[in-house]
Structure formats: C-alpha cells, structure tokens
Amino acid sequence: MRTNVDLTSPSVFSPVVFRPGFNHFEKINATQAWSLFFTGGREDKALGLSPTVGRFYNLSDRHSTLRDRSYRG
C-alpha cells in the first residue's frame, strides 16, 4: 500500500501546538481544548470532532469544582 504522507517532516511527530499550521490565534472548541489537555498538547482531535464531548468535560469539571468548594472536611 502506498501513501502520500511525508513521514520525514519534523512536524509529524511534534506536538500539534508547535506545528506551523496550528497556532494562528484561531478559536478552538472545548473538545479540542480537552484533547490537547489529555494528550499533553500532542493532538487536538483525540476526542473526535463532536462539541458534545467538550461540553461533557466542561460540565464534569464544573460539577467537581462546585462539589470540592462545598466540602468543608
């Protein structure tokens, strides 16, 4: 099988946040932000493209923060 992917380019294996085509101050959605967080900046589409996943993690994080604040230990 032949592909036209250039695996010799240094940006192929570098984190996505350091690739030339990524950071042009474009807005990213919550799913991309969580993907970058979970992969250590290596991939912005690890969780897929659906905005629902990002909303789920945002709500989960907000819920745990509110729960932690209400706990007086």
Side-chain angles (χ1 to χ4, degrees):
M1 182 166 89
R2 299 185 111 200
T3 63
N4 59 356
V5 177
D6 180 19
L7 296 177
T8 59
S9 173
S11 67
V12 170
F13 299 108
S14 66
V16 72
V17 293
F18 296 122
R19 293 180 193 160
F22 180 76
N23 191 4
H24 295 289
F25 298 99
E26 298 164 356
K27 290 186 177 185
I28 62 172
N29 63 29
T31 303
Q32 288 175 295
W34 281 108
S35 292
L36 289 167
F37 175 75
F38 287 135
T39 63
R42 293 223 170 258
E43 187 57 54
D44 65 328
K45 294 176 179 61
L47 296 176
L49 300 175
S50 172
T52 306
V53 175
R55 282 193 295 253
F56 170 77
Y57 283 113
N58 282 347
L59 292 174
S60 298
D61 183 50
R62 182 170 180 251
H63 177 69
S64 66
T65 303
L66 292 174
R67 183 185 66 230
D68 293 343
R69 275 193 217 150
S70 65
Y71 177 71
R72 298 288 180 199

